[in-house]
Each structure stands twice: as C-alpha cells, then as structure tokens.
Amino acid sequence: IGVGLVGFGLFFLLLGILLYFDSVLLAFGNLLFLSGLVFIIGFRRTFTFFFQRPKLKGTSFFFGGLIVVLMRWPILGMMLEVYGFISLFR
C-alpha cells in the first residue's frame, strides 16, 4: 500500500508540475507521498526522521512549502519544498 501511495504521489506531483503548477494536484501529490512514506517506514520512524535536531531547518522548509501550496501559491511552495527536500537528504 505504501509503495503505491508514494508512486501515485510522485505521479500527481509530476502531473501538477506539467500542468503549469496546478495547486490541487501538487497538494494531493504531497499528501499521498507523505502518507505513503508513513505506510512504508512507520509513523514513529517517519516522525523521528523529520524532527531530528540537525534536520529541523529542512523539515520546516518542506512543511512550510506544503502549507504554501495548500494556500494556492504553488510556485513559491514548490521552491520551498525543493529546498527543504535537498537540505533533508544531503
């Protein structure tokens, strides 16, 4: 179930970007991706991954970008999410 949710999340993110940053598709893709991640590695491990002390900057940018996308500013939100994603996984 988790791999399917992550796959659909990535598909909706790609489709949202290809359709000129459609905010509904981007928000739906983000939510599917995060819920799939929870299904794959579990709630506790997901929570501890995102809220480790050295990764709080990346987490705040990633979730801040998600909130900005939900508020219908998709380009700014995706830029914040990409910066947060890069700083989370480097």
Side-chain angles (χ1 to χ4, degrees):
I1 293 174
V3 174
L5 286 174
V6 168
F8 277 120
L10 292 175
F11 172 72
F12 279 112
L13 282 172
L14 178 68
L15 193 62
I17 290 171
L18 288 177
L19 293 175
Y20 302 112
F21 290 96
D22 184 28
S23 61
V24 174
L25 288 174
L26 290 173
F28 193 60
N30 282 325
L31 295 176
L32 283 175
F33 180 76
L34 288 176
S35 63
L37 191 64
V38 169
F39 270 100
I40 289 174
I41 64 173
F43 182 75
R44 177 168 291 176
R45 289 181 65 188
T46 304
F47 185 80
T48 57
F49 172 76
F50 278 111
F51 293 105
Q52 293 175 4
R53 194 152 196 62
K55 295 183 179 184
L56 282 179
K57 179 181 167 186
T59 300
S60 62
F61 273 100
F62 184 77
F63 285 118
L66 180 90
I67 290 170
V68 170
V69 167
L70 289 174
M71 291 176 12
R72 304 266 179 158
W73 289 33
I75 296 173
L76 178 64
M78 287 305 292
M79 288 191 314
L80 289 173
E81 281 186 33
V82 167
Y83 178 73
F85 189 80
I86 289 171
S87 64
L88 271 174
F89 289 105
R90 69 177 152 128

